[in-house]
């Protein structure tokens, strides 16, 4: 009987077929038990008649379902119904790699990002003893938020290998019948072009076969073509087994020569000459990414496309963009040498608190185990840093800044001078798992005095993993003893604190913390954190620190506008209340309470009280100073905010996010030169993040009306699809009168609504404004009407969100509905007044000024503009002169007067 929509498979109701292939049909389905959409792969009847095959499939699919990695699609369930095996998987939205490679060779940065994600996902699977066996572009998904996901592990196989380094930890299956059977299936269903030589010949395979298939994908991403081709199946087999891949050539993307070496090593015919482990391939890709970012390697190999691109100006723009980025990095580096901690930063800066403290940095401990254990080494580093930060009289550089020195190759003296520290603690970590589920961890720390490069102390700790917290405490204590800092009894108790005895809970906590270090504020990232921390407290209900992290993850999803529901607020509160109940004396619990009060309720005074309590137990916490500065910005206490944030910067001088926030703070104060210094520093620290480029472009608009300089900055920005970048590119195009370009950019976006914590804007609203400026009133009217309908639906589900009221006011103004438009704009201002938030409260006022301008109430518009010009805000005369939406105001006598006054 054929499968039909509405049919139930376990608790999942089929909705629609979304894919099909020789290995099964894929349906979108509703998981009725959890009210979420999933994907179900139902295997064809031709594969299910063999009972031995079905049993083997069940065992291996269940093994694959145990894989847990950000670059592997989650398998929720494996089952059988009416004789048909099925797999319930995570439903992903985005493009397959097949769709992306059809567009032509990839840009180098995208190639490297996707290649690294695939390699890391594969490395995790191999570590768990699973080989994929069917890697091809259709089985790789790049989601809408740019996450790389490997699919179809449900048909993978438990590895069998004679090489003990390649053998899995689980018992292998000795049957070879499955190998040849699945190989024949692959040939029949069109994946022959992605097979390894040994797989194409029907020979036994191991992890190295996957590595060859991955090499084919890397080649195809770079060239948009296959390395081995034939007119027939036999010719293709001959090419795979005996021919060398052609050079990447002039038609390939602009990759470094090192990338071609990596591809060729993955495509070695003999397995022994290939990468032996996917983790080694992933390491080479990460090192390549690091070297390109740090400038150690020439960015491109010199290859150029054989034909000119559609936009003939693009190569010129790229050259200027790269040149501009180089100037930015050089200028920031020079500025940093002038203003680094310990140097005289001039009158605008503040000296760090506790100037007489002995300063230390804990560098990232090197992970000597598999790459997937990196989170464990990072957790060890963070725990030791946290314990040292509890000691009065010791200044500890923030983990965020310390992490910038992983694998930089800089000497201890260079690091010490750059950070202004007298001591450096570094070390190595190896986590060894025994055959009987026992685990040991070996940690070898060493403390170095920067002044004379003297190794003051080193010791090897080789302990069972259950004693990990005791080791961390001993290391912190020995560091303090060797720096000569006096240790109070209360501080000694803090050093000896043991957060949990459940090591599985600890590992889940550390996985969540690793995800929390990801700078991308996406709902998926927060959901992963929540899942890991929830797992930790499920395993150990007394794990206070995991409740702290759980509260912060929920609060972050709320604060960053990803889930502003009362339920998310309540989950954050419940977690932090449990943390306080379990550990009322732990400063982390009070820090989490302050963050909850700040992010979820804008309860500034209560948040500051909680931070003050937390700081007593964490006197060297750059994070507490940072959050205090952010709150004082919201309160309109701008100078105090600068003092707090620059004091935090002294303890955390290489955190690009903090540097960017300092740039934004000075921008509100119209200290544009100071702002540009911090933004350039932020870019030099992390050239691959987009926010500082966006902020810098905004300053160039506001300070000088410099559209050309802003365009150069935006073109130097790394590729990003975040909504704020869409907004800035839209503004850049309309500032230059390029309305058709603005329309094309926005129309290409897949989202109906763009969401950012600053704004909510339907795509149609951007299009409407561009059509109106281009003199296309009928197209503008239709787009404004579409935006209105979208926003009214949005308002029905989220009536209290000022961002929706502001956007609806703009749409109504575009339709000429003056009274309704002004009413919505005023509702936004009332819902989020400046008295509640001096930072974001300026946005609804700015939107109201534009609404008044659009409906012809020019005096009312100028009233709001004058207010914004008189307070810290993002409004400036140069911006008003640049923005064509304010053109109706420029001949008004009051505008002329304001322009002269401000």
């Amino acid at each position: 009987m054929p499968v039909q929509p509405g049919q139930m498979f376990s608790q999942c109701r089929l909705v629609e077929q979304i894919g099909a292939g020789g290995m099964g049909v894929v349906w979108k389905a509703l998981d009725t038990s959890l009210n979420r959409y999933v994907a179900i792969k139902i295997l064809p009847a031709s594969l299910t008649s063999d009972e031995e095959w079905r049993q083997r499939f069940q065992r291996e699919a269940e093994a694959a379902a145990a894989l847990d990695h950000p670059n592997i699609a989650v398998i929720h369930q494996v089952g059988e119904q009416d004789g048909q095996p099925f797999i319930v998987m995570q439903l992903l939205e985005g493009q397959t790699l097949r769709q992306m490679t059809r567009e032509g060779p990839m840009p180098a940065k995208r190639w490297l990002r996707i290649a690294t994600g695939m390699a890391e996902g594969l490395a995790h699977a191999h570590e768990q003893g699973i080989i994929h066996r069917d890697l091809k572009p259709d089985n790789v998904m790049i989601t809408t938020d740019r996450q790389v996901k490997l699919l179809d592990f449900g048909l993978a196989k438990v590895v069998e290998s004679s090489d003990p380094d390649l053998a899995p930890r689980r018992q292998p299956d000795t049957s070879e019948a499955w190998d040849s059977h699945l190989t024949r299936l692959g040939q029949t269903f069109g994946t022959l072009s992605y097979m390894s030589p040994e797989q194409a010949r029907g020979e036994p395979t191991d992890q190295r076969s996957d590595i060859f298939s991955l090499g084919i994908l890397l080649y195809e991403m770079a060239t948009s073509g296959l390395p081995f081709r034939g007119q027939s199946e036999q010719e293709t087999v001959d090419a795979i087994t005996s021919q060398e891949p052609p050079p990447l050539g002039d038609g390939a993307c602009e990759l470094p020569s090192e990338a071609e070496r990596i591809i060729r090593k993955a495509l070695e015919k003999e397995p022994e000459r290939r990468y032996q482990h996917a983790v080694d391939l992933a390491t080479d890709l990460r090192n390549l990414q690091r070297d390109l970012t740090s400038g150690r390697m020439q960015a491109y190999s010199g290859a150029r496309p054989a034909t000119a691109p559609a936009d003939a100006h693009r190569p010129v723009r790229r050259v200027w963009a790269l040149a501009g980025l180089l100037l930015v990095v050089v200028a920031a580096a020079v500025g940093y040498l002038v203003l680094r901690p310990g140097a005289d930063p001039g009158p605008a800066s503040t000296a760090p608190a506790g100037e007489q403290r002995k300063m230390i940095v804990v560098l990232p401990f090197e992970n000597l185990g598999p790459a997937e254990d990196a989170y464990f080494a990072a957790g060890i580093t963070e725990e030791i840093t946290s314990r040292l930060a509890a000691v009065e009289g010791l200044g500890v550089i923030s983990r965020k800044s310390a992490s910038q020195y992983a694998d930089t190759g800089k000497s201890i003296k260079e690091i010490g001078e750059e950070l202004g520290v007298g001591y450096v603690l570094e070390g190595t970590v190896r986590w060894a798992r025994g055959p009987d589920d026992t685990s040991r961890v070996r940690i070898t720390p060493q403390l170095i005095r920067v002044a004379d490069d003297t190794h003051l102390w080193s010791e090897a700790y080789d302990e069972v993993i259950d004693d990990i917290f005791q080791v961390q405490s001993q290391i912190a204590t020995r560091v303090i003893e060797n720096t000569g800092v006096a240790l109070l009894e209360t501080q000694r108790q803090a050093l000896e604190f043991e957060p949990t005895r459940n090591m599985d809970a600890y590992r889940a906590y550390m996985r969540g913390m690793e995800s929390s270090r990801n700078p991308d504020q996406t709902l998926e990232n927060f959901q992963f954190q929540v899942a890991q921390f929830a797992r930790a407290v499920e395993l150990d209900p007394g794990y206070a620190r995991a409740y702290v992290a759980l509260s912060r993850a929920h609060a972050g999803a709320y604060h960053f506008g990803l889930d502003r529901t009362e339920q998310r607020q309540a989950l954050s509160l419940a977690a932090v209340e449990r943390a306080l109940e379990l550990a009322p004396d732990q400063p982390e619990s009070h820090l989490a309470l302050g963050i909850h009060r700040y992010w979820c309720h804008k309860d500034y005074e209560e948040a500051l009280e909680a931070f003050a309590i937390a700081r007593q137990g964490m006197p060297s916490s750059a994070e507490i100073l940072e959050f205090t500065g952010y709150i004082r910005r919201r309160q309109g206490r701008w100078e105090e905010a600068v003092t707090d944030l620059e004091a935090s910067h002294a303890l955390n001088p290489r955190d690009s996010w903090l540097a960017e926030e300092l740039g934004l703070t000075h921008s509100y104060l119209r200290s544009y030169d100071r702002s540009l210094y911090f933004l350039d520093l932020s870019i030099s620290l992390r050239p691959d993040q987009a926010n500082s480029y966006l902020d810098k472009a905004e300053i160039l608009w506001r300070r000088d009306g410099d559209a050309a300089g802003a365009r150069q900055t935006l073109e130097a920005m790394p590729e990003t699809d975040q909504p704020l970048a869409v907004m800035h590119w839209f503004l850049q195009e309309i500032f230059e009168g390029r309305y058709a370009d603005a329309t094309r950019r926005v129309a290409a976006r897949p989202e109906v609504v763009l969401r950012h914590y600053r704004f909510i804007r339907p795509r149609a609203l951007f299009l409407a404004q561009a059509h109106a400026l281009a003199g296309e009133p009928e197209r503008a009217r239709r787009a404004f009407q579409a935006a209105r309908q979208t926003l009214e639906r949005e308002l029905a589900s989220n009536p209290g969100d000022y961002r929706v009221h502001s956007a609806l006011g703009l749409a109504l103004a575009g339709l000429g509905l003056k009274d309704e438009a002004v009413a919505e704009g005023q509702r936004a201002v009332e819902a989020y007044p400046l008295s509640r938030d001096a930072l974001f409260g300026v946005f609804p006022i700015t939107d109201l000024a534009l609404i008044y301008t659009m409906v012809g109430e020019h005096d009312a518009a100028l009233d709001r503009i004058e207010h914004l010009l008189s307070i810290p805000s993002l409004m400036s005369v140069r911006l008003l002169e640049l923005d064509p939406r304010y053109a109706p105001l420029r001949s008004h006598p009051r505008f002329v007067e304001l322009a002269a006054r401000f």
Side-chain angles (χ1 to χ4, degrees):
M1 178 178 175
V3 177
Q4 300 289 338
Q7 186 172 341
M8 298 294 292
F9 272 73
S10 186
Q11 75 272 19
C12 300
R13 181 182 295 112
L14 302 187
V15 176
E16 59 179 332
Q17 185 176 321
I18 57 176
M23 302 298 276
V25 178
V26 183
W27 286 75
K28 179 180 179 180
L30 177 66
D31 183 337
T32 57
S33 66
L34 296 174
N35 194 30
R36 66 179 176 184
Y37 284 105
V38 296
I40 293 187
K41 186 161 192 172
I42 303 170
L43 273 67
S46 60
L47 299 183
T48 62
S49 57
D50 187 325
E51 179 62 27
E52 182 182 350
W53 186 94
R54 288 216 315 271
Q55 291 178 2
R56 185 182 178 97
F57 159 76
Q58 181 74 21
R59 290 197 306 273
E60 293 172 358
E62 287 174 357
L67 297 176
D68 180 10
H69 191 273
N71 295 120
I72 296 177
V74 176
I75 296 177
H76 298 305
Q77 182 183 356
V78 178
E80 183 176 321
Q81 182 164 308
D82 298 328
Q84 285 188 292
F86 65 89
I87 307 167
V88 182
M89 300 174 287
Q90 178 184 13
L91 181 65
L92 300 169
E93 294 183 2
Q95 286 184 298
T96 64
L97 189 59
R98 174 82 68 195
Q99 293 168 312
M100 297 186 78
T101 54
R102 284 172 181 160
E103 299 171 1
M106 286 186 182
K109 288 181 180 176
R110 186 186 303 165
W111 182 93
L112 194 52
R113 175 171 56 81
I114 294 174
T116 305
M118 292 191 298
E120 290 182 343
L122 202 59
H124 174 76
H126 289 176
E127 168 63 19
Q128 303 306 311
I130 296 290
I131 57 174
H132 191 289
R133 302 185 54 81
D134 196 21
L135 276 179
K136 57 185 178 182
D138 308 278
N139 286 340
V140 181
M141 173 76 80
I142 291 81
T143 66
T144 52
D145 59 354
R146 304 198 304 162
Q147 290 286 314
V148 179
K149 299 283 188 179
L150 300 183
L151 312 179
D152 267 8
F153 269 94
L155 295 177
K157 177 181 179 289
V158 176
V159 176
E160 179 177 354
S161 174
S162 59
D163 182 345
D165 288 334
L166 296 174
R169 290 192 299 272
R170 58 176 57 86
Q171 184 67 28
D173 192 316
T174 57
S175 172
E176 296 295 344
W178 173 254
D179 284 357
S180 59
H181 177 59
L182 191 53
T183 298
R184 291 196 302 274
L185 290 174
Q187 293 171 342
T188 303
F189 298 134
T191 56
L192 175 62
S193 297
Y194 299 93
M195 289 183 182
S196 66
E198 57 271 27
Q199 190 176 4
R201 290 190 293 259
E203 298 171 355
T205 57
D206 56 29
Q207 291 100 318
R208 295 170 295 184
S209 180
D210 275 351
I211 292 171
F212 190 94
S213 300
L214 180 57
I216 295 176
L217 297 185
L218 300 185
Y219 186 99
E220 186 174 9
M221 289 159 55
T223 65
S224 196
L226 290 167
F228 310 110
R229 306 182 188 182
Q231 296 299 315
S232 66
E233 190 171 291
Q234 187 56 50
E235 287 184 10
T236 302
V237 170
D238 290 343
I240 291 172
T241 57
S242 61
Q243 294 178 16
E244 291 301 314
L248 295 185
D250 291 339
C253 65
E254 300 168 329
L255 288 174
S257 57
E258 172 67 7
E260 185 162 5
R261 182 199 68 79
I262 291 171
I263 294 173
R264 288 192 170 278
K265 185 172 181 180
L267 292 176
E268 286 283 357
K269 302 295 183 191
E270 297 300 324
E272 292 75 15
R273 297 176 61 86
R274 227 174 277 159
Y275 283 100
Q276 298 299 290
H277 306 278
V279 67
D280 298 332
L281 173 56
T283 299
D284 278 358
L285 289 167
R286 283 196 302 269
N287 289 342
L288 175 58
Q289 199 165 28
R290 177 202 65 197
D291 291 344
L292 284 176
T293 301
S294 65
R296 290 193 211 173
M297 179 177 292
Q298 184 178 351
Y300 300 110
S301 63
R304 291 290 181 268
T307 58
D311 182 353
H313 298 289
R314 189 174 299 156
V316 177
R317 287 207 303 268
R318 183 183 290 120
V319 169
W320 281 109
L322 288 171
L325 175 58
L326 180 60
L327 288 172
V328 164
V329 173
V330 171
V334 171
Y336 183 69
L337 288 175
V338 173
L339 290 175
R340 71 181 188 273
D344 180 9
S349 182
T350 57
E355 206 166 24
Q356 301 306 313
R357 289 179 298 178
K358 294 184 177 181
M359 300 293 294
I360 187 171
V361 60
V362 182
L363 296 182
F365 278 32
E366 182 183 359
N367 171 40
L368 298 182
E372 56 266 30
D373 289 350
Y375 78 93
F376 185 80
I380 298 291
T381 309
E382 187 163 347
E383 286 283 352
I384 293 171
T385 303
S386 176
R387 291 170 191 266
L388 292 175
V391 178
E392 192 80 46
L394 189 64
V396 184
I397 295 295
S398 164
R399 176 197 55 78
K400 290 182 180 180
S401 285
S403 66
Q404 304 294 318
Y405 289 93
D407 301 321
T408 62
K410 290 189 175 181
S411 69
I412 293 296
K413 188 171 182 61
E414 288 173 318
I415 295 171
E417 288 179 350
E418 288 185 9
L419 294 175
V421 299
Y423 300 90
V424 172
L425 179 67
E426 60 181 8
T428 60
V429 177
R430 181 184 292 277
W431 179 13
R433 302 169 179 82
D436 55 351
D437 281 341
T438 60
S439 290
R440 299 186 70 83
V441 61
R442 183 179 179 86
I443 306 177
T444 308
Q446 54 181 350
L447 180 66
I448 305 166
R449 185 166 53 212
V450 172
D452 52 7
D453 200 21
T454 299
H455 287 58
L456 298 178
W457 164 76
S458 180
E459 192 169 337
Y461 296 85
D462 191 346
E463 306 287 345
V464 295
I465 196 169
D466 291 352
D467 296 330
I468 187 65
F469 300 116
Q470 182 180 348
V471 173
Q472 294 166 0
S473 173
Q474 290 172 359
I475 292 171
T477 302
R478 294 299 304 275
V479 166
I480 293 164
E481 290 171 352
N482 281 276
T483 55
V485 174
L487 190 60
L488 302 177
E489 182 55 34
T490 55
Q491 294 167 352
R492 186 178 299 279
Q493 292 172 7
L495 291 180
E496 295 172 354
F497 176 69
E498 186 175 270
T500 181
R501 292 294 298 173
N502 188 309
M503 289 299 105
D504 289 333
Y506 179 54
R507 284 190 283 270
Y509 169 79
M510 288 198 293
R511 287 191 185 96
M513 291 304 296
E514 179 71 10
S515 178
S516 74
R517 300 181 192 109
N518 188 334
D520 296 330
Q521 308 294 349
T522 64
L523 185 58
E524 184 180 45
N525 187 20
F526 282 115
Q527 287 173 333
F528 179 80
Q529 293 174 45
V530 166
Q532 293 300 320
F533 298 138
R535 174 67 174 158
V537 299
E538 177 187 357
L539 292 167
D540 180 1
Y543 197 170
R545 195 165 289 177
Y547 279 109
V548 163
L550 182 60
S551 174
R552 291 183 60 161
H554 283 306
Y558 185 91
H559 173 70
F560 290 105
L562 302 169
D563 180 10
R564 286 194 173 159
T565 61
E566 291 183 2
Q567 181 186 18
R568 186 67 71 173
Q569 288 178 309
L571 289 168
S572 173
L573 179 61
V576 74
E577 285 181 338
R578 179 60 176 154
L580 285 165
E581 179 184 340
L582 291 167
D585 298 329
Q586 287 299 308
E588 291 87 352
S589 302
H590 294 277
L591 175 57
L593 176 63
I595 291 170
H596 169 81
R597 289 297 181 194
Y598 167 31
W599 278 358
C600 291
H601 301 285
K602 300 298 180 287
D603 237 339
Y604 301 134
E605 290 304 329
E606 288 193 20
L608 289 174
E609 288 177 11
F611 291 156
I613 296 171
R615 195 173 182 190
Q616 293 174 14
M618 294 190 294
S620 289
S621 172
E623 189 177 34
I624 296 175
L625 284 166
E626 183 179 356
F627 274 115
T628 301
Y630 292 156
I631 286 180
R632 285 177 172 155
R633 277 192 323 197
R634 305 265 182 169
Q635 292 176 311
R637 298 159 65 180
W638 290 92
E639 297 299 335
E640 292 174 78
V642 168
T643 299
D644 290 327
L645 291 175
E646 293 200 356
S648 177
H649 176 66
L651 290 169
N652 192 9
R654 297 188 65 81
D655 179 7
S656 65
W657 175 280
L658 178 55
E660 183 214 335
E661 290 295 331
L662 269 163
L664 179 65
T665 306
H666 283 291
S667 174
Y668 268 76
L669 294 169
R670 300 182 177 86
S671 305
Y672 293 129
D673 291 345
R674 188 80 174 147
S675 177
L676 287 173
Y677 159 71
F678 280 111
L679 294 176
D680 285 344
L681 173 59
S682 176
I683 290 170
S684 74
L685 293 171
R686 278 206 59 197
D688 61 334
Q689 54 86 25
N691 287 338
S692 294
Y693 296 87
L694 297 171
D695 290 341
K696 182 176 181 178
E698 197 168 326
I699 288 175
L700 295 175
W701 295 332
R702 293 170 53 214
R703 185 185 70 173
D704 308 312
D706 183 6
R711 175 171 285 276
Q712 184 175 334
T713 299
L714 292 174
E715 287 176 341
M717 178 176 65
E719 179 184 355
T720 180
D721 57 0
Q722 62 167 286
L724 190 62
V726 177
M727 167 78 88
H728 276 59
W729 267 117
F730 173 80
L731 294 174
Q732 178 68 32
E733 301 290 14
I734 69 170
F735 290 172
E736 294 179 307
R738 301 164 66 157
Y739 305 127
D741 289 341
T743 301
R744 279 194 294 272
R745 280 187 185 275
V746 175
R749 298 294 301 175
E751 308 99 321
V752 175
V753 179
L754 283 87
R755 303 176 190 277
H756 186 264
Y757 53 85
R758 287 191 188 183
F759 60 81
I760 288 177
R761 292 283 194 271
R763 181 180 57 193
L765 186 56
F766 290 108
L767 295 173
Q769 291 177 322
H771 291 318
L773 291 168
E776 301 169 336
E778 183 54 31
R779 296 182 72 184
R781 186 194 65 77
R782 290 197 301 269
F784 276 125
Q785 182 61 32
R788 174 188 183 179
Q789 292 170 352
T790 298
L791 287 163
E792 286 176 342
R793 289 194 298 269
E794 189 82 23
L795 202 59
S797 60
N798 202 1
D801 196 323
Y802 76 92
R803 300 171 298 173
V804 183
H805 287 290
S806 280
L808 181 56
L810 292 168
L812 294 169
L815 293 169
L817 302 173
K818 181 170 86 171
D819 292 343
E820 294 96 322
V822 169
E824 287 298 329
Q826 289 176 337
R827 286 190 188 102
V829 173
E830 291 164 3
Y832 208 78
L834 203 62
S835 58
R836 180 183 179 190
D837 185 350
L839 184 71
F840 284 177
V842 301
F843 295 125
I845 299 174
T846 303
D847 285 336
L848 182 57
L850 183 55
I851 291 168
Y852 276 126
T853 302
M854 293 170 69
V855 300
E857 292 288 341
H858 294 170
D859 277 308
L862 288 166
D863 286 342
R864 274 71 188 175
I865 289 170
E866 182 174 10
H867 181 208
L868 291 169
L869 290 171
S870 67
I871 63 172
S873 77
L874 300 180
M875 182 64 74
S876 79
V877 170
R878 294 297 183 210
L879 182 64
L880 292 167
E881 293 172 340
L882 187 63
D883 192 334
R885 297 173 299 176
Y886 292 102
L889 301 180
R890 294 175 193 155
S891 59
H892 195 292
R894 281 187 63 195
F895 183 88
V896 177
E897 185 271 326
L898 289 174
R901 179 150 52 105
F902 292 102

